[in-house]
mmCIF file of all heavy atoms in Angstrom:
data_model
loop_
_atom_site.group_PDB
_atom_site.id
_atom_site.type_symbol
_atom_site.label_atom_id
_atom_site.label_comp_id
_atom_site.label_asym_id
_atom_site.label_seq_id
_atom_site.Cartn_x
_atom_site.Cartn_y
_atom_site.Cartn_z
ATOM 1 N N ASP J 1 -4.858 5.319 12.819
ATOM 2 C CA ASP J 1 -4.025 6.352 13.264
ATOM 3 C C ASP J 1 -3.239 5.904 14.518
ATOM 4 O O ASP J 1 -3.839 5.714 15.558
ATOM 5 C CB ASP J 1 -4.803 7.637 13.608
ATOM 6 C CG ASP J 1 -3.948 8.858 13.833
ATOM 7 O OD1 ASP J 1 -2.702 8.678 14.055
ATOM 8 O OD2 ASP J 1 -4.449 9.988 13.835
ATOM 9 N N PRO J 2 -1.920 5.730 14.402
ATOM 10 C CA PRO J 2 -1.110 5.215 15.565
ATOM 11 C C PRO J 2 -1.088 6.207 16.709
ATOM 12 O O PRO J 2 -0.848 5.861 17.849
ATOM 13 C CB PRO J 2 0.274 4.961 14.988
ATOM 14 C CG PRO J 2 0.320 5.882 13.788
ATOM 15 C CD PRO J 2 -1.079 5.977 13.260
ATOM 16 N N GLU J 3 -1.345 7.485 16.401
ATOM 17 C CA GLU J 3 -1.306 8.498 17.504
ATOM 18 C C GLU J 3 -2.650 8.728 18.161
ATOM 19 O O GLU J 3 -2.733 9.269 19.211
ATOM 20 C CB GLU J 3 -0.785 9.843 16.931
ATOM 21 C CG GLU J 3 0.608 9.742 16.299
ATOM 22 C CD GLU J 3 1.086 10.981 15.752
ATOM 23 O OE1 GLU J 3 0.301 11.971 15.726
ATOM 24 O OE2 GLU J 3 2.225 11.056 15.263
ATOM 25 N N GLN J 4 -3.700 8.289 17.498
ATOM 26 C CA GLN J 4 -5.108 8.434 18.058
ATOM 27 C C GLN J 4 -5.759 7.010 17.999
ATOM 28 O O GLN J 4 -6.410 6.709 17.050
ATOM 29 C CB GLN J 4 -5.912 9.421 17.212
ATOM 30 C CG GLN J 4 -5.335 10.842 17.159
ATOM 31 C CD GLN J 4 -5.454 11.540 18.554
ATOM 32 O OE1 GLN J 4 -6.323 11.198 19.334
ATOM 33 N NE2 GLN J 4 -4.577 12.479 18.797
ATOM 34 N N PRO J 5 -5.587 6.256 19.035
ATOM 35 C CA PRO J 5 -6.204 4.887 18.997
ATOM 36 C C PRO J 5 -7.670 4.968 18.776
ATOM 37 O O PRO J 5 -8.397 5.753 19.378
ATOM 38 C CB PRO J 5 -5.810 4.331 20.456
ATOM 39 C CG PRO J 5 -4.613 5.092 20.851
ATOM 40 C CD PRO J 5 -4.819 6.495 20.252
ATOM 41 N N GLY J 6 -8.176 4.118 17.891
ATOM 42 C CA GLY J 6 -9.582 4.070 17.561
ATOM 43 C C GLY J 6 -9.922 5.024 16.404
ATOM 44 O O GLY J 6 -11.058 4.915 15.890
ATOM 45 N N ASP J 7 -9.027 5.885 16.053
ATOM 46 C CA ASP J 7 -9.310 6.786 14.873
ATOM 47 C C ASP J 7 -8.462 6.327 13.696
ATOM 48 O O ASP J 7 -7.697 5.423 13.759
ATOM 49 C CB ASP J 7 -8.964 8.205 15.263
ATOM 50 C CG ASP J 7 -9.649 9.249 14.342
ATOM 51 O OD1 ASP J 7 -10.354 8.829 13.420
ATOM 52 O OD2 ASP J 7 -9.389 10.468 14.543
ATOM 53 N N TYR J 8 -8.606 7.044 12.560
ATOM 54 C CA TYR J 8 -7.914 6.759 11.328
ATOM 55 C C TYR J 8 -7.194 7.957 10.807
ATOM 56 O O TYR J 8 -7.556 9.110 11.123
ATOM 57 C CB TYR J 8 -8.918 6.183 10.301
ATOM 58 C CG TYR J 8 -9.603 4.904 10.766
ATOM 59 C CD1 TYR J 8 -10.815 4.954 11.446
ATOM 60 C CD2 TYR J 8 -9.042 3.669 10.592
ATOM 61 C CE1 TYR J 8 -11.456 3.836 11.873
ATOM 62 C CE2 TYR J 8 -9.641 2.518 10.999
ATOM 63 C CZ TYR J 8 -10.844 2.613 11.694
ATOM 64 O OH TYR J 8 -11.457 1.434 12.125
ATOM 65 N N VAL J 9 -6.215 7.757 9.944
ATOM 66 C CA VAL J 9 -5.487 8.820 9.317
ATOM 67 C C VAL J 9 -6.375 9.593 8.430
ATOM 68 O O VAL J 9 -7.147 9.046 7.630
ATOM 69 C CB VAL J 9 -4.226 8.286 8.586
ATOM 70 C CG1 VAL J 9 -3.542 9.413 7.822
ATOM 71 C CG2 VAL J 9 -3.299 7.539 9.512
ATOM 72 N N ARG J 10 -6.339 10.938 8.562
ATOM 73 C CA ARG J 10 -7.210 11.849 7.778
ATOM 74 C C ARG J 10 -6.326 12.853 7.001
ATOM 75 O O ARG J 10 -5.212 13.151 7.388
ATOM 76 C CB ARG J 10 -8.147 12.585 8.680
ATOM 77 C CG ARG J 10 -9.107 11.666 9.496
ATOM 78 C CD ARG J 10 -9.980 12.465 10.441
ATOM 79 N NE ARG J 10 -10.778 11.511 11.231
ATOM 80 C CZ ARG J 10 -12.012 11.084 10.887
ATOM 81 N NH1 ARG J 10 -12.485 11.517 9.702
ATOM 82 N NH2 ARG J 10 -12.686 10.281 11.653
ATOM 83 N N ASP J 11 -6.911 13.311 5.910
ATOM 84 C CA ASP J 11 -6.205 14.346 5.106
ATOM 85 C C ASP J 11 -6.411 15.704 5.674
ATOM 86 O O ASP J 11 -7.036 15.879 6.755
ATOM 87 C CB ASP J 11 -6.648 14.242 3.623
ATOM 88 C CG ASP J 11 -8.148 14.464 3.469
ATOM 89 O OD1 ASP J 11 -8.760 15.008 4.378
ATOM 90 O OD2 ASP J 11 -8.697 14.116 2.401
ATOM 91 N N ALA J 12 -5.956 16.766 4.948
ATOM 92 C CA ALA J 12 -6.061 18.159 5.426
ATOM 93 C C ALA J 12 -7.506 18.579 5.599
ATOM 94 O O ALA J 12 -7.838 19.433 6.414
ATOM 95 C CB ALA J 12 -5.330 19.075 4.508
ATOM 96 N N GLN J 13 -8.428 18.032 4.842
ATOM 97 C CA GLN J 13 -9.825 18.394 4.931
ATOM 98 C C GLN J 13 -10.579 17.541 5.977
ATOM 99 O O GLN J 13 -11.786 17.729 6.115
ATOM 100 C CB GLN J 13 -10.491 18.172 3.579
ATOM 101 C CG GLN J 13 -10.109 19.257 2.502
ATOM 102 C CD GLN J 13 -8.699 19.002 1.997
ATOM 103 O OE1 GLN J 13 -8.261 17.840 1.917
ATOM 104 N NE2 GLN J 13 -7.976 20.088 1.698
ATOM 105 N N GLY J 14 -9.885 16.637 6.627
ATOM 106 C CA GLY J 14 -10.527 15.829 7.694
ATOM 107 C C GLY J 14 -11.095 14.541 7.129
ATOM 108 O O GLY J 14 -11.814 13.844 7.893
ATOM 109 N N ASN J 15 -10.888 14.232 5.921
ATOM 110 C CA ASN J 15 -11.431 12.981 5.362
ATOM 111 C C ASN J 15 -10.550 11.793 5.658
ATOM 112 O O ASN J 15 -9.283 11.945 5.692
ATOM 113 C CB ASN J 15 -11.620 13.137 3.839
ATOM 114 C CG ASN J 15 -12.584 14.256 3.460
ATOM 115 O OD1 ASN J 15 -13.604 14.414 4.107
ATOM 116 N ND2 ASN J 15 -12.208 14.991 2.486
ATOM 117 N N VAL J 16 -11.158 10.673 5.913
ATOM 118 C CA VAL J 16 -10.425 9.472 6.199
ATOM 119 C C VAL J 16 -9.656 9.034 4.961
ATOM 120 O O VAL J 16 -10.211 8.966 3.824
ATOM 121 C CB VAL J 16 -11.302 8.332 6.675
ATOM 122 C CG1 VAL J 16 -10.502 7.031 6.860
ATOM 123 C CG2 VAL J 16 -11.971 8.699 8.026
ATOM 124 N N VAL J 17 -8.354 8.735 5.085
ATOM 125 C CA VAL J 17 -7.502 8.374 4.026
ATOM 126 C C VAL J 17 -7.639 6.871 3.727
ATOM 127 O O VAL J 17 -7.492 6.055 4.672
ATOM 128 C CB VAL J 17 -6.047 8.758 4.232
ATOM 129 C CG1 VAL J 17 -5.168 8.241 3.082
ATOM 130 C CG2 VAL J 17 -5.908 10.263 4.389
ATOM 131 N N LYS J 18 -7.863 6.529 2.521
ATOM 132 C CA LYS J 18 -7.924 5.103 2.120
ATOM 133 C C LYS J 18 -6.730 4.819 1.178
ATOM 134 O O LYS J 18 -6.530 5.526 0.209
ATOM 135 C CB LYS J 18 -9.226 4.783 1.445
ATOM 136 C CG LYS J 18 -9.384 3.285 1.093
ATOM 137 C CD LYS J 18 -10.744 2.986 0.480
ATOM 138 C CE LYS J 18 -10.897 1.525 0.196
ATOM 139 N NZ LYS J 18 -12.199 1.215 -0.426
ATOM 140 N N THR J 19 -5.996 3.829 1.480
ATOM 141 C CA THR J 19 -4.829 3.450 0.666
ATOM 142 C C THR J 19 -5.025 2.109 -0.011
ATOM 143 O O THR J 19 -5.671 1.203 0.551
ATOM 144 C CB THR J 19 -3.564 3.390 1.526
ATOM 145 O OG1 THR J 19 -2.426 2.982 0.717
ATOM 146 C CG2 THR J 19 -3.733 2.394 2.687
ATOM 147 N N LYS J 20 -4.494 1.965 -1.185
ATOM 148 C CA LYS J 20 -4.597 0.746 -1.902
ATOM 149 C C LYS J 20 -3.247 0.467 -2.523
ATOM 150 O O LYS J 20 -2.408 1.317 -2.645
ATOM 151 C CB LYS J 20 -5.723 0.802 -2.967
ATOM 152 C CG LYS J 20 -5.486 1.808 -4.069
ATOM 153 C CD LYS J 20 -6.656 1.806 -5.047
ATOM 154 C CE LYS J 20 -6.389 2.854 -6.157
ATOM 155 N NZ LYS J 20 -7.504 2.813 -7.155
ATOM 156 N N LEU J 21 -3.054 -0.774 -2.968
ATOM 157 C CA LEU J 21 -1.816 -1.205 -3.614
ATOM 158 C C LEU J 21 -1.674 -0.510 -4.964
ATOM 159 O O LEU J 21 -2.487 -0.608 -5.803
ATOM 160 C CB LEU J 21 -1.810 -2.741 -3.779
ATOM 161 C CG LEU J 21 -0.645 -3.302 -4.538
ATOM 162 C CD1 LEU J 21 0.665 -3.011 -3.813
ATOM 163 C CD2 LEU J 21 -0.785 -4.800 -4.713
ATOM 164 N N GLU J 22 -0.571 0.253 -5.041
ATOM 165 C CA GLU J 22 -0.193 0.916 -6.329
ATOM 166 C C GLU J 22 0.898 0.156 -6.976
ATOM 167 O O GLU J 22 2.079 0.199 -6.550
ATOM 168 C CB GLU J 22 0.230 2.372 -6.052
ATOM 169 C CG GLU J 22 -0.821 3.258 -5.361
ATOM 170 C CD GLU J 22 -1.982 3.608 -6.289
ATOM 171 O OE1 GLU J 22 -1.831 3.384 -7.484
ATOM 172 O OE2 GLU J 22 -2.940 4.216 -5.781
ATOM 173 N N THR J 23 0.570 -0.577 -8.038
ATOM 174 C CA THR J 23 1.535 -1.491 -8.690
ATOM 175 C C THR J 23 2.360 -0.850 -9.756
ATOM 176 O O THR J 23 3.377 -1.415 -10.224
ATOM 177 C CB THR J 23 0.823 -2.701 -9.244
ATOM 178 O OG1 THR J 23 -0.108 -2.265 -10.308
ATOM 179 C CG2 THR J 23 0.018 -3.423 -8.118
ATOM 180 N N GLY J 24 1.931 0.394 -10.207
ATOM 181 C CA GLY J 24 2.591 0.944 -11.359
ATOM 182 C C GLY J 24 4.095 1.177 -11.184
ATOM 183 O O GLY J 24 4.932 0.686 -12.020
ATOM 184 N N VAL J 25 4.507 1.877 -10.118
ATOM 185 C CA VAL J 25 5.931 2.104 -9.927
ATOM 186 C C VAL J 25 6.734 0.811 -9.704
ATOM 187 O O VAL J 25 7.841 0.647 -10.165
ATOM 188 C CB VAL J 25 6.128 3.083 -8.747
ATOM 189 C CG1 VAL J 25 7.612 3.277 -8.489
ATOM 190 C CG2 VAL J 25 5.505 4.429 -9.076
ATOM 191 N N LEU J 26 6.096 -0.096 -8.948
ATOM 192 C CA LEU J 26 6.778 -1.400 -8.632
ATOM 193 C C LEU J 26 7.017 -2.218 -9.920
ATOM 194 O O LEU J 26 8.099 -2.723 -10.124
ATOM 195 C CB LEU J 26 5.908 -2.165 -7.636
ATOM 196 C CG LEU J 26 5.718 -1.557 -6.265
ATOM 197 C CD1 LEU J 26 4.784 -2.403 -5.407
ATOM 198 C CD2 LEU J 26 7.061 -1.370 -5.563
ATOM 199 N N GLN J 27 6.033 -2.205 -10.784
ATOM 200 C CA GLN J 27 6.138 -2.937 -12.063
ATOM 201 C C GLN J 27 7.213 -2.235 -12.942
ATOM 202 O O GLN J 27 7.955 -2.889 -13.684
ATOM 203 C CB GLN J 27 4.810 -3.056 -12.769
ATOM 204 C CG GLN J 27 3.858 -3.994 -12.081
ATOM 205 C CD GLN J 27 2.537 -4.078 -12.771
ATOM 206 O OE1 GLN J 27 2.146 -3.221 -13.520
ATOM 207 N NE2 GLN J 27 1.747 -5.163 -12.516
ATOM 208 N N GLN J 28 7.242 -0.917 -12.866
ATOM 209 C CA GLN J 28 8.246 -0.154 -13.688
ATOM 210 C C GLN J 28 9.664 -0.541 -13.235
ATOM 211 O O GLN J 28 10.530 -0.707 -14.065
ATOM 212 C CB GLN J 28 7.952 1.315 -13.486
ATOM 213 C CG GLN J 28 8.933 2.215 -14.324
ATOM 214 C CD GLN J 28 8.753 3.676 -14.083
ATOM 215 O OE1 GLN J 28 7.844 4.089 -13.291
ATOM 216 N NE2 GLN J 28 9.507 4.549 -14.749
ATOM 217 N N LEU J 29 9.875 -0.590 -11.950
ATOM 218 C CA LEU J 29 11.217 -0.947 -11.423
ATOM 219 C C LEU J 29 11.599 -2.363 -11.801
ATOM 220 O O LEU J 29 12.714 -2.648 -12.234
ATOM 221 C CB LEU J 29 11.247 -0.785 -9.892
ATOM 222 C CG LEU J 29 11.292 0.651 -9.337
ATOM 223 C CD1 LEU J 29 11.107 0.588 -7.854
ATOM 224 C CD2 LEU J 29 12.639 1.223 -9.625
ATOM 225 N N ALA J 30 10.648 -3.315 -11.722
ATOM 226 C CA ALA J 30 10.928 -4.706 -12.009
ATOM 227 C C ALA J 30 11.233 -4.920 -13.474
ATOM 228 O O ALA J 30 12.253 -5.506 -13.856
ATOM 229 C CB ALA J 30 9.805 -5.559 -11.543
ATOM 230 N N SER J 31 10.339 -4.383 -14.332
ATOM 231 C CA SER J 31 10.569 -4.588 -15.784
ATOM 232 C C SER J 31 11.740 -3.837 -16.286
ATOM 233 O O SER J 31 12.471 -4.319 -17.167
ATOM 234 C CB SER J 31 9.289 -4.195 -16.491
ATOM 235 O OG SER J 31 8.978 -2.814 -16.294
ATOM 236 N N GLY J 32 11.970 -2.648 -15.782
ATOM 237 C CA GLY J 32 13.123 -1.827 -16.242
ATOM 238 C C GLY J 32 14.467 -2.402 -15.916
ATOM 239 O O GLY J 32 15.453 -2.125 -16.632
ATOM 240 N N THR J 33 14.569 -3.236 -14.909
ATOM 241 C CA THR J 33 15.882 -3.793 -14.528
ATOM 242 C C THR J 33 15.970 -5.262 -14.914
ATOM 243 O O THR J 33 16.932 -5.999 -14.519
ATOM 244 C CB THR J 33 16.086 -3.715 -13.000
ATOM 245 O OG1 THR J 33 15.027 -4.369 -12.288
ATOM 246 C CG2 THR J 33 16.122 -2.224 -12.578
ATOM 247 N N GLY J 34 14.956 -5.806 -15.569
ATOM 248 C CA GLY J 34 14.967 -7.228 -15.891
ATOM 249 C C GLY J 34 14.626 -8.128 -14.734
ATOM 250 O O GLY J 34 14.987 -9.340 -14.700
ATOM 251 N N GLY J 35 13.842 -7.574 -13.773
ATOM 252 C CA GLY J 35 13.486 -8.345 -12.573
ATOM 253 C C GLY J 35 12.131 -8.916 -12.637
ATOM 254 O O GLY J 35 11.661 -9.370 -13.725
ATOM 255 N N ARG J 36 11.426 -8.904 -11.571
ATOM 256 C CA ARG J 36 10.097 -9.566 -11.480
ATOM 257 C C ARG J 36 9.208 -8.869 -10.475
ATOM 258 O O ARG J 36 9.703 -8.376 -9.439
ATOM 259 C CB ARG J 36 10.323 -11.053 -11.069
ATOM 260 C CG ARG J 36 9.012 -11.867 -11.092
ATOM 261 C CD ARG J 36 9.281 -13.270 -10.759
ATOM 262 N NE ARG J 36 8.080 -14.104 -10.835
ATOM 263 C CZ ARG J 36 7.977 -15.341 -10.512
ATOM 264 N NH1 ARG J 36 9.075 -16.071 -10.139
ATOM 265 N NH2 ARG J 36 6.851 -16.033 -10.635
ATOM 266 N N PHE J 37 7.904 -8.821 -10.744
ATOM 267 C CA PHE J 37 6.942 -8.278 -9.822
ATOM 268 C C PHE J 37 6.007 -9.381 -9.353
ATOM 269 O O PHE J 37 5.494 -10.134 -10.175
ATOM 270 C CB PHE J 37 6.110 -7.152 -10.489
ATOM 271 C CG PHE J 37 4.922 -6.717 -9.672
ATOM 272 C CD1 PHE J 37 5.122 -5.846 -8.584
ATOM 273 C CD2 PHE J 37 3.654 -7.163 -9.985
ATOM 274 C CE1 PHE J 37 4.010 -5.478 -7.799
ATOM 275 C CE2 PHE J 37 2.545 -6.740 -9.194
ATOM 276 C CZ PHE J 37 2.728 -5.902 -8.105
ATOM 277 N N VAL J 38 5.802 -9.463 -8.016
ATOM 278 C CA VAL J 38 4.896 -10.425 -7.451
ATOM 279 C C VAL J 38 4.067 -9.791 -6.350
ATOM 280 O O VAL J 38 4.507 -8.742 -5.793
ATOM 281 C CB VAL J 38 5.697 -11.640 -6.830
ATOM 282 C CG1 VAL J 38 6.386 -12.403 -7.936
ATOM 283 C CG2 VAL J 38 6.623 -11.187 -5.762
ATOM 284 N N LYS J 39 2.949 -10.322 -6.046
ATOM 285 C CA LYS J 39 2.078 -9.861 -4.968
ATOM 286 C C LYS J 39 2.273 -10.801 -3.759
ATOM 287 O O LYS J 39 2.356 -12.006 -3.924
ATOM 288 C CB LYS J 39 0.654 -9.875 -5.429
ATOM 289 C CG LYS J 39 0.278 -8.818 -6.480
ATOM 290 C CD LYS J 39 -1.196 -8.789 -6.772
ATOM 291 C CE LYS J 39 -1.566 -7.751 -7.828
ATOM 292 N NZ LYS J 39 -3.005 -7.775 -8.183
ATOM 293 N N LEU J 40 2.308 -10.191 -2.626
ATOM 294 C CA LEU J 40 2.440 -10.921 -1.385
ATOM 295 C C LEU J 40 1.073 -11.457 -0.931
ATOM 296 O O LEU J 40 0.242 -10.641 -0.523
ATOM 297 C CB LEU J 40 3.097 -10.032 -0.307
ATOM 298 C CG LEU J 40 3.345 -10.787 1.066
ATOM 299 C CD1 LEU J 40 4.269 -11.953 0.884
ATOM 300 C CD2 LEU J 40 3.899 -9.800 2.058
ATOM 301 N N GLY J 41 0.845 -12.716 -0.990
ATOM 302 C CA GLY J 41 -0.412 -13.274 -0.555
ATOM 303 C C GLY J 41 -0.353 -13.762 0.908
ATOM 304 O O GLY J 41 0.490 -13.303 1.643
ATOM 305 N N THR J 42 -1.276 -14.671 1.191
ATOM 306 C CA THR J 42 -1.277 -15.140 2.557
ATOM 307 C C THR J 42 -0.240 -16.217 2.800
ATOM 308 O O THR J 42 0.074 -16.528 3.979
ATOM 309 C CB THR J 42 -2.703 -15.762 2.836
ATOM 310 O OG1 THR J 42 -2.965 -16.801 1.882
ATOM 311 C CG2 THR J 42 -3.765 -14.700 2.755
ATOM 312 N N GLN J 43 0.318 -16.814 1.717
ATOM 313 C CA GLN J 43 1.311 -17.802 1.872
ATOM 314 C C GLN J 43 2.720 -17.169 1.994
ATOM 315 O O GLN J 43 2.972 -16.056 1.558
ATOM 316 C CB GLN J 43 1.288 -18.748 0.670
ATOM 317 C CG GLN J 43 0.000 -19.511 0.453
ATOM 318 C CD GLN J 43 -0.307 -20.415 1.674
ATOM 319 O OE1 GLN J 43 0.568 -21.015 2.237
ATOM 320 N NE2 GLN J 43 -1.634 -20.495 2.022
ATOM 321 N N PRO J 44 3.655 -17.908 2.643
ATOM 322 C CA PRO J 44 5.037 -17.390 2.763
ATOM 323 C C PRO J 44 5.655 -17.150 1.395
ATOM 324 O O PRO J 44 5.312 -17.831 0.403
ATOM 325 C CB PRO J 44 5.770 -18.415 3.570
ATOM 326 C CG PRO J 44 4.731 -19.263 4.256
ATOM 327 C CD PRO J 44 3.510 -19.183 3.347
ATOM 328 N N LEU J 45 6.537 -16.178 1.341
ATOM 329 C CA LEU J 45 7.258 -15.866 0.071
ATOM 330 C C LEU J 45 8.425 -16.954 -0.075
ATOM 331 O O LEU J 45 9.412 -16.864 0.604
ATOM 332 C CB LEU J 45 7.876 -14.502 0.117
ATOM 333 C CG LEU J 45 8.563 -14.046 -1.181
ATOM 334 C CD1 LEU J 45 7.577 -13.919 -2.306
ATOM 335 C CD2 LEU J 45 9.288 -12.694 -1.002
ATOM 336 N N ASN J 46 8.182 -17.892 -0.966
ATOM 337 C CA ASN J 46 9.144 -18.965 -1.163
ATOM 338 C C ASN J 46 10.372 -18.438 -1.924
ATOM 339 O O ASN J 46 10.298 -17.552 -2.733
ATOM 340 C CB ASN J 46 8.509 -20.137 -1.906
ATOM 341 C CG ASN J 46 7.409 -20.787 -1.083
ATOM 342 O OD1 ASN J 46 7.525 -20.853 0.140
ATOM 343 N ND2 ASN J 46 6.370 -21.242 -1.741
#
């Protein structure tokens, strides 16, 4: 939580929010336009 140092973002019920990579929409955009989907790893994006 950037507004509460040491704390974490919580939902309306006070539960800590956990976020994960959602690839569905990203893959939809890439495949629908003839593009490409990649994951950003620890190496630079060449």
Side-chain angles (χ1 to χ4, degrees):
D1 191 344
E3 299 177 359
Q4 299 290 335
D7 198 2
Y8 300 92
V9 175
R10 300 176 183 271
D11 58 18
Q13 288 74 33
N15 300 318
V16 175
V17 176
K18 184 177 182 180
T19 177
K20 62 180 181 178
L21 175 61
E22 300 287 351
T23 63
V25 175
L26 297 176
Q27 290 179 340
Q28 181 184 359
L29 284 171
S31 61
T33 59
R36 185 177 183 184
F37 170 77
V38 295
K39 290 182 181 180
L40 181 61
T42 58
Q43 299 299 322
L45 183 66
N46 295 324

